[in-house]
């Protein structure tokens, strides 16, 4: 695995196009394993993967645990409500407890931005070799979701060879609660790296103008963007205009738990203006796939009928693709020599 340099995966801002292609290639190999018989391979035998989810999750946690089991790793999960967090232990000290038990990879989700990065820095500082994989931190980043969304789109556009080139010059529309979405941020890094142009759509309260220059400001610690030619990001407040000429649509959950009550006073109006339905998709001018990271608020960001239309809606595909993508991440991260 000499081409892979990411001991920790915290953000996609430091991923090169070669990194994305590497993950897609490895994930695609895992995805080609037969459903029966060879489903479980011994690649991570003897490794310990701990899933430290301080914030709720269904998809991410379960698919990381399945991914680790399919690679024959030992898996240790953690329940915050029955843990020593209740006695005042900090998340960092909790994580270090799992390091002391011999964890090779910690998958960390937390509602506070930068907890996974702080943990990775603490481990580097103390010379520990445990890897940290960000399972979603605050509003910041959800790298495995960004990668599985990329894989889902690349597989849609280029089923026989899903790679970054499949996204070049595609118009991807991301609709909804962008400001609260770590998924949107990770997708912006991943999709623009592949040369896709992103049209963001939503009301100003959920989509500030500053997002237009999001990928022009790499986070602290990244001196130079590893991607030379990124696709462009534009903002369109009108769904009809945003969808014109789209190649794919990603709609996002309204994150009510991160909003104050006044931010969205009328959900019916929101659905009328920004809801993705069979009718609104006609504005694309052709048949396009619809993605949603889940969990979904039915009838708010997407219609129930569309959600159940597997000829358009790729949500099930996104969930199943999460397993090979997470297998690829665990496989690559545990193969790093030093
Ligand atoms: N998409 C996603 O992160 O879902 P979960 O919160 O269920 O993990």
């Amino acid at each position: 695995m000499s081409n892979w340099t990411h001991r920790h995966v915290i953000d996609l801002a430091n991923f090169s196009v070669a990194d994305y292609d590497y993950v897609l290639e490895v994930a695609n190999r895992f995805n080609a394993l037969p459903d029966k018989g060879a489903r479980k391979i011994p690649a991570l035998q003897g490794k310990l993967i701990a899933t430290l989810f301080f914030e709720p999750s269904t998809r991410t946690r379960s698919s990381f645990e399945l991914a680790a089991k399919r690679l024959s790793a030992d898996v240790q999960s953690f329940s915050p409500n029955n843990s020593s967090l209740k006695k005042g232990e900090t998340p960092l000290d909790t994580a270090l407890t799992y390091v002391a038990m011999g964890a090779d990879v910690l998958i960390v989700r937390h509602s506070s931005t930068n907890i996974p990065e702080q943990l990775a820095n603490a481990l580097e500082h103390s010379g520990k070799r445990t890897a940290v994989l960000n399972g979603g931190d605050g509003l910041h980043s959800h790298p495995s979701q960004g990668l599985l969304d990329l894989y889902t789109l690349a597989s849609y556009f280029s089923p026989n060879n899903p790679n970054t080139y499949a996204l070049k010059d595609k118009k991807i529309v991301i609709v909804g609660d962008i400001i609260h979405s770590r998924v949107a941020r990770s997708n912006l890094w991943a999709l623009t790296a592949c040369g896709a142009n992103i049209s963001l759509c939503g009301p100003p309260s959920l989509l500030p103008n500053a997002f237009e220059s999001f990928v022009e400001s790499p986070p602290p610690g990244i001196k130079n963007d590893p991607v030379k030619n990124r696709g462009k990001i534009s903002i369109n407040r009108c769904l009809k205009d945003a969808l014109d000429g789209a190649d794919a649509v990603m709609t996002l959950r309204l994150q009510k738990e991160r909003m104050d009550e006044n931010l969205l006073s009328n959900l019916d109006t929101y659905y009328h203006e920004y809801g993705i339905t069979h009718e609104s998709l006609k504005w694309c001018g052709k048949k396009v796939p619809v993605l949603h990271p889940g969990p979904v608020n039915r009838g708010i960001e997407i219609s129930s009928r569309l959600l159940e239309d597997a000829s358009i809606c790729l949500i099930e595909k996104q969930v199943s693709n999460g397993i090979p993508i997470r297998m690829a991440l665990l496989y690559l991260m545990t193969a790093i020599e030093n």
Side-chain angles (χ1 to χ4, degrees):
M1 292 306 135
S2 55
N3 296 338
W4 185 258
T5 56
H6 301 277
R7 178 194 301 286
H8 310 286
V9 173
I10 306 296
D11 194 356
L12 296 180
N14 60 348
F15 267 46
S16 65
V17 176
D19 291 330
Y20 290 112
D21 271 321
Y22 207 10
V23 175
L24 296 187
E25 185 196 323
V26 175
N28 212 38
R29 270 193 262 147
F30 285 135
N31 213 13
L33 292 174
D35 273 355
K36 297 202 173 70
R39 197 167 191 173
K40 202 160 169 165
I41 59 169
L44 264 61
Q45 211 155 39
K47 302 284 185 191
L48 175 59
I49 312 296
T51 50
L52 308 185
F53 279 61
F54 298 91
E55 194 192 79
S57 165
T58 297
R59 292 150 200 78
T60 312
R61 175 172 166 164
S62 299
S63 63
F64 265 122
E65 292 180 357
L66 272 170
K69 286 175 190 169
R70 291 209 183 146
L71 294 168
S72 304
D74 293 326
V75 179
Q76 184 61 53
S77 62
F78 154 82
S79 305
N81 291 335
N82 296 318
S83 75
S84 290
L85 284 177
K86 296 283 174 199
K87 302 173 194 165
E89 189 164 54
T90 66
L92 283 180
D93 285 337
T94 300
L96 293 173
T97 304
Y98 286 86
V99 174
M101 289 184 214
D104 295 283
V105 183
L106 301 175
I107 300 156
V108 181
R109 170 173 288 192
H110 201 284
S111 57
S112 294
T113 292
N114 291 337
I115 291 279
E117 186 169 11
Q118 281 172 27
L119 176 59
N121 290 341
L123 292 171
E124 289 295 319
H125 193 68
S126 59
K128 298 270 194 320
R129 294 178 46 79
T130 307
V132 178
L133 216 169
N134 184 356
D137 63 329
L139 311 183
H140 170 224
S141 176
H142 193 344
S144 64
Q145 181 73 44
L147 291 167
L148 76 87
D149 291 339
L150 172 61
Y151 183 46
T152 303
L153 283 166
S155 303
Y156 180 88
F157 293 125
S158 175
N160 295 327
N161 183 17
N163 58 24
T164 54
Y165 192 71
L167 272 293
K168 189 159 169 45
D169 296 329
K170 295 284 190 253
K171 177 179 176 181
I172 314 292
V173 181
I174 304 181
V175 186
D177 185 0
I178 316 281
I179 193 169
H180 297 109
S181 178
R182 55 198 178 207
V183 174
R185 288 171 174 84
S186 287
N187 267 285
L188 287 176
W189 289 116
L191 299 176
T192 59
C194 304
N197 296 310
I198 313 299
S199 175
L200 297 175
C201 182
S205 57
L206 300 180
L207 172 56
N209 288 332
F211 270 93
E212 214 156 35
S213 53
F214 179 75
V215 294
E216 288 160 29
S217 337
I222 300 181
K223 287 196 188 83
N224 297 308
D225 188 342
V227 176
K228 294 281 168 278
N229 294 307
R230 287 188 180 273
K232 301 276 177 274
I233 300 174
S234 58
I235 289 182
N236 210 319
R237 305 283 174 203
C238 167
L239 184 61
K240 183 178 180 190
D241 294 343
L243 291 180
D244 185 27
D247 294 295
V249 179
M250 180 181 296
T251 179
L252 300 170
R253 181 173 70 90
L254 285 192
Q255 299 196 28
K256 295 179 209 154
E257 74 277 18
R258 300 191 208 273
M259 293 179 191
D260 69 45
E261 283 185 5
N262 298 326
L263 197 54
L264 268 176
S265 47
N266 190 332
L267 294 178
D268 289 340
T269 305
Y270 179 84
Y271 184 58
H272 181 71
E273 288 187 20
Y274 297 106
I276 300 299
T277 63
H278 284 92
E279 289 70 37
S280 62
L281 286 178
K282 288 180 186 152
W283 291 326
C284 299
K286 59 180 184 272
K287 185 176 175 183
V288 302
V290 173
L291 292 85
H292 187 306
V296 169
N297 296 304
R298 282 174 182 256
I300 295 180
E301 60 257 1
I302 185 169
S303 69
S304 263
R305 190 160 76 86
L306 184 54
L307 199 58
E308 287 156 17
D309 183 350
S311 75
I312 298 177
C313 184
L314 300 186
I315 294 180
E316 277 183 27
K317 228 26 199 165
Q318 288 172 273
V319 172
S320 58
N321 284 340
I323 298 172
I325 279 290
R326 289 169 173 132
M327 288 171 79
L329 283 171
L330 293 173
Y331 180 71
L332 292 168
M333 291 170 71
T334 51
I336 281 199
E337 301 281 313
N338 48 45

